[in-house]
């Protein structure tokens, strides 16, 4: 994993009320509060953000949103801007999650604009990418992931990359219980790192890359031991304290 600090983030999707969210992070803080060698984050629903950021104030656990919009204000009913996320105490935001792309029509261009706006607002950004099952079966994994990364790279500068993480999440592995094998995941991670290195040099090769897609305690260590996998973006398992804690511990170096 070179000198890149591992990063493990929980994506809670559409789960947890405000009080349930506060309860979950209180327990995470109790169990993970002293971990310093893994960067840890949680992404609650928008309505829980203020309570969770308050609960995690001065802790080692970062708070992120699951999505944000590329405009800061205006007639955009239902949207939340990156500046508003900063106001709510967020550290980072996910953009381009495959559920946003598939169910809400987020295009590669939208994802890039969202990433740019989030960075401009001062947030860290996790840019998600990944191929569908039919794209993998057609041998188009690198083509599809390459398009997504190219679109993102068009709005990034080398200076931004310290605040950017890319999450490779094969769509066929998200919420399905099917996980990419460590070798399959490593192959795509190496491809992504190569693209970023070609464009940005050392800043590109130094970027952190997470794997996501049915990560659980039983497979976390094998995935994160691969040389280009620097952590995990965790959906379902992040809702269970014991599982998320075990995944964070599996990410610890050495
Ligand atoms: C996700 O939501 O980003 C994800 C990877 O989900 P799961 O871990 O449930 O597959």
């Amino acid at each position: 994993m070179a000198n890149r600090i591992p990063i493990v983030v929980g994506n809670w999707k559409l789960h947890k009320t405000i009080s349930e969210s506060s309860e979950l992070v209180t327990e995470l803080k109790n169990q993970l509060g002293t971990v310093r060698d893994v960067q840890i984050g949680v992404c609650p629903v928008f309505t829980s953000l203020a309570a969770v950021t308050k609960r995690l104030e001065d802790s080692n656990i970062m708070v992120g949103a699951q999505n944000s919009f590329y405009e800061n204000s205006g007639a955009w009913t239902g949207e939340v801007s990156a500046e508003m996320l900063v106001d709510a105490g967020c550290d980072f935001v996910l953009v381009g999650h495959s559920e946003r792309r598939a169910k809400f029509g987020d295009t590669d261009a939208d994802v890039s604009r969202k990433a740019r706006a989030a960075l401009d607002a001062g947030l860290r950004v996790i840019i998600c990418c990944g191929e569908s099952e039919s794209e993998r079966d057609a041998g188009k994994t690198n083509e599809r992931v390459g398009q997504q990364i190219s679109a993102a790279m068009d709005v990034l500068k080398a200076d931004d990359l310290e605040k950017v993480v890319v999450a490779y999440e094969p769509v066929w592995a998200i919420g399905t219980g099917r996980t990419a094998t460590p070798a399959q995941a490593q192959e795509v991670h190496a491809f992504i790192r190569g693209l970023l290195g070609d464009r940005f040099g050392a800043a590109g090769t130094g970027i952190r890359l997470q794997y996501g897609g049915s990560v659980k305690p039983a497979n976390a260590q094998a995935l994160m031991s691969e040389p280009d996998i620097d952590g995990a973006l965790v959906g379902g398992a992040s809702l269970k304290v014991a599982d998320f804690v075990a995944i964070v511990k599996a990410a610890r170096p050495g």
Side-chain angles (χ1 to χ4, degrees):
M1 208 180 284
N3 292 326
R4 303 179 296 268
I5 296 174
I7 174 164
V8 175
V9 169
N11 170 21
W12 295 359
K13 311 197 191 208
L14 186 51
H15 295 287
K16 305 275 178 203
T17 62
I18 296 171
S19 63
E20 289 166 347
S21 301
S22 297
E23 220 173 281
L24 177 51
V25 289
T26 301
E27 200 45 47
L28 291 178
K29 198 170 151 182
N30 287 343
Q31 297 201 31
L32 295 172
T34 57
V35 173
R36 291 287 176 273
D37 48 3
V38 179
Q39 202 170 15
I40 305 167
V42 292
C43 299
V45 296
F46 285 128
T47 48
S48 292
L49 285 173
V52 166
T53 54
K54 193 158 192 293
R55 191 60 64 105
L56 292 178
E57 222 167 28
D58 300 322
S59 87
N60 58 329
I61 303 177
M62 302 183 300
V63 182
Q66 299 171 18
N67 181 40
S68 63
F69 194 52
Y70 45 72
E71 296 289 346
N72 284 327
S73 61
W76 300 101
T77 303
E79 293 295 337
V80 174
S81 73
E83 288 186 351
M84 288 166 179
L85 296 180
V86 172
D87 187 42
C90 285
D91 304 294
F92 73 99
V93 64
L94 304 182
V95 297
H97 190 281
S98 67
E99 288 154 17
R100 297 294 319 172
R101 293 177 186 267
K103 298 175 184 172
F104 299 94
D106 283 15
T107 63
D108 292 353
D110 294 330
V111 173
S112 303
R113 288 182 75 187
K114 288 180 177 193
R116 186 67 258 159
L119 288 163
D120 289 343
L123 292 170
R124 296 176 176 274
V125 183
I126 298 180
I127 302 173
C128 305
C129 64
E131 81 288 1
S132 66
E133 184 162 32
S134 59
E135 286 161 346
R136 175 160 282 264
D137 290 346
K140 295 192 165 159
T141 297
N142 285 5
E143 189 184 320
R144 180 66 193 116
V145 171
Q147 286 165 344
Q148 293 167 325
I149 297 297
S150 279
M153 289 193 304
D154 285 346
V155 300
L156 296 174
K157 301 183 291 287
D159 284 355
D160 295 318
L161 297 187
E162 199 202 331
K163 297 183 93 176
V164 175
V165 169
V166 172
Y168 167 60
E169 301 203 300
V171 178
W172 47 272
I174 297 182
T176 59
R178 283 179 65 195
T179 317
T181 63
Q184 280 174 324
Q186 164 59 25
E187 194 180 350
V188 184
H189 280 236
F191 171 68
I192 294 170
R193 194 177 302 287
L195 293 177
L196 288 155
D198 287 347
R199 180 78 72 103
F200 297 112
T205 48
I207 202 168
R208 288 179 299 167
L209 305 177
Q210 291 175 304
Y211 169 79
S214 298
V215 174
K216 16 185 197 285
N219 59 26
Q221 190 152 29
L223 285 158
M224 292 187 284
S225 304
E226 292 292 337
D228 287 299
I229 302 183
D230 307 313
L233 181 54
V234 186
S238 69
L239 297 166
K240 297 177 203 136
V241 173
D243 285 5
F244 190 67
V245 167
I247 293 167
V248 169
K249 291 190 172 161
R252 299 184 85 161

